[in-house]
Amino acid sequence: MKAAFITRTGPPEVIQFGELPDPVPGPTQCLIRVRAVDVNPIDVYWRAGMVPAPITFPFILGRDLAGVVAACGKEVRHFQPGDRVWCSNLGCGPRPGSFAELCAVDEDWLHPIPASVRDEDIVANALTGITAHLGLVGRAQLKAGETLFVNGGSGGVGSCVVQMGKILGARVITTAGSDAKVKLCRELGADLVLNYKTQNVDAAVREFAPQGVNVWWETLREPDFERVVPLLALRGRMVLMAGRDAKPVLPVGPFYVKDCSLHGFAMFNASAEEQRPAADAINQWMETGKLKARIDRVLPLSEATAAHRLQEESTVQKTGVLAGKIVLKP
Ligand SMILES: NC(=O)c1ccc[n+]([C@@H]2O[C@H](COP(=O)([O-])OP(=O)(O)OC[C@H]3O[C@@H](n4cnc5c(N)ncnc54)[C@H](OP(=O)(O)O)[C@@H]3O)[C@@H](O)[C@H]2O)c1
């Protein structure tokens, strides 16, 4: 099969596109013919060697896939050849990545694709959608009527958090870095969208939510507690999910006297069982048109190097060149 893989970590140019042996599914695995994958910032960190975890080479990149079951191991119970399926959480632990024509995946990690949902749309909301659901529902326990602030609503995770916040009945404030992206965030349903480059975000948040923000979702890798804590409401929750090297100062007094809490998490720590409610919700909300995918561009898988370069520029170098996910097709 053709795959996009690395034999050492480094810049995007270390990615090779070539032949690797076809995977052979184990008894509880399905062999998937991959139709679409997407790029996530975590792919960039692994390829660049920024994640202190052992890698076995050749290492196939990619976390998410959408495809069709081509064959099933003897003990597979819930899927059969011809079923359309999606999954996340590949390319970590013992699981090879998704950037290939074929992939063997344990059925526990697979979810059906609703008939009306396209492969590229479901894959674009796979890792990001599961992350948004785990954080909003499992960690922050967002309630209808609460105010949710999403720092970075135009991004992969942020655009899912904004939409899910609205689905869950919250008042949603978010930020974006250009007028075009402000417009896109309004289309996602946010009640108040602020251009963080040209507007006084904190003043506008105070005006919109005088009692404070109930849930602050931080997508930046440099969280600023000295800024956020004064903007939190009584019993405010802050979700932290990025910034491996960040060491911000925490103003403890103003934080604890308001009964605030911090909720850090990494979606890859959630088991298949813990992720299933998130996947079920994503399926239901995408089928009913409540949750939409934001795709910047679709490229052939052979362009994986260019795709990584773009993702790195956009997320790590913060050029904001992307307005949505990059989807790749084998
Ligand atoms: N813990 C987990 O389980 C988990 C899961 C998924 C992702 N992550 C991490 O979460 C981070 C975000 O991922 P992503 O896929 O959403 O990345 P992304 O698509 O690149 O989004 C980054 C966002 O940051 C915004 N931004 C940049 N500078 C900003 C500033 N100064 N103020 C406000 N917003 C700013 C961008 O806005 P503009 O483009 O509009 O400027 C964009 O919306 C990454 O570091 C990723 O590794 C963690």
Side-chain angles (χ1 to χ4, degrees):
M1 66 172 182
K2 285 267 195 312
F5 60 93
I6 56 173
T7 53
R8 65 181 172 95
T9 58
E13 291 69 32
V14 300
I15 299 174
Q16 301 176 43
F17 182 70
E19 293 286 337
L20 284 180
D22 288 1
V24 178
T28 58
Q29 289 186 321
C30 295
L31 183 68
I32 315 296
R33 182 155 292 283
V34 180
R35 284 182 166 170
V37 300
D38 69 334
V39 187
N40 287 288
I42 188 79
D43 301 323
V44 169
Y45 309 152
W46 277 75
R47 186 219 73 228
M50 291 160 69
V51 179
I55 303 183
T56 308
F57 297 112
F59 177 69
I60 301 175
L61 299 162
R63 294 277 154 151
D64 307 328
L65 66 73
V68 179
V69 176
C72 295
K74 280 188 191 136
E75 292 165 29
V76 169
R77 295 213 173 88
H78 299 105
F79 297 96
Q80 56 188 25
D83 287 350
R84 294 175 65 222
V85 290
W86 68 277
C87 73
S88 184
N89 280 72
L90 301 174
C92 61
R95 297 182 290 279
S98 60
F99 281 21
E101 289 176 317
L102 293 167
C103 199
V105 183
D106 204 280
E107 71 164 336
D108 284 354
W109 289 100
L110 293 173
H111 315 290
I113 302 178
S116 60
V117 178
R118 301 186 311 164
D119 297 324
E120 44 271 57
D121 290 333
I122 199 95
V123 87
N125 277 349
L127 185 149
T128 51
I130 290 173
T131 302
H133 193 279
L134 289 174
L136 281 183
V137 177
R139 294 295 187 284
Q141 300 186 8
L142 180 73
K143 294 174 196 67
E146 288 192 319
T147 300
L148 165 69
F149 179 91
V150 187
N151 207 20
S154 62
V157 175
S159 61
C160 286
V161 177
V162 166
Q163 294 181 83
M164 289 188 192
K166 287 311 299 174
I167 293 168
L168 295 168
R171 299 165 77 225
V172 179
I173 314 170
T174 194
T175 56
S178 70
D179 290 343
K181 289 186 179 180
V182 165
K183 186 167 172 280
L184 289 170
C185 288
R186 285 208 189 96
E187 287 164 12
L188 296 176
D191 299 286
L192 178 65
V193 189
L194 302 160
N195 184 328
Y196 67 82
K197 290 186 179 157
T198 59
Q199 288 181 271
N200 184 335
V201 173
D202 296 5
V205 170
R206 280 199 185 87
E207 194 181 329
F208 185 85
Q211 305 301 318
V213 168
N214 303 105
V215 175
W216 181 292
W217 187 296
E218 186 58 70
T219 73
L220 296 191
R221 289 182 300 126
E222 309 86 17
D224 181 352
F225 296 133
E226 290 175 292
R227 173 189 173 205
V228 175
V229 172
L231 293 171
L232 289 177
L234 183 70
R235 302 204 173 128
R237 290 89 78 198
M238 183 175 180
V239 177
L240 288 172
M241 34 71 76
R244 280 170 193 265
D245 304 318
K247 290 183 179 171
V249 172
L250 176 66
V252 173
F255 181 80
Y256 86 84
V257 298
K258 284 199 287 187
D259 293 9
C260 292
S261 53
L262 290 173
H263 299 264
F265 79 104
M267 64 86 71
F268 54 75
N269 291 327
S271 65
E273 197 184 340
E274 288 167 332
Q275 294 197 11
R276 191 160 295 282
D280 290 346
I282 290 166
N283 270 355
Q284 194 201 332
W285 292 336
M286 289 193 74
E287 193 174 18
T288 50
K290 290 180 184 166
L291 176 65
K292 297 198 167 57
R294 290 274 313 282
I295 297 173
D296 183 280
R297 67 194 74 189
V298 180
L299 299 171
L301 183 58
S302 56
E303 301 277 328
T305 301
H308 262 240
R309 205 178 289 125
L310 272 171
Q311 188 71 55
E312 184 164 328
E313 276 172 33
S314 195
T315 309
V316 182
Q317 289 146 28
K318 288 197 179 173
T319 60
V321 64
L322 294 174
K325 304 289 292 178
I326 304 175
V327 170
L328 300 169
K329 292 196 155 189

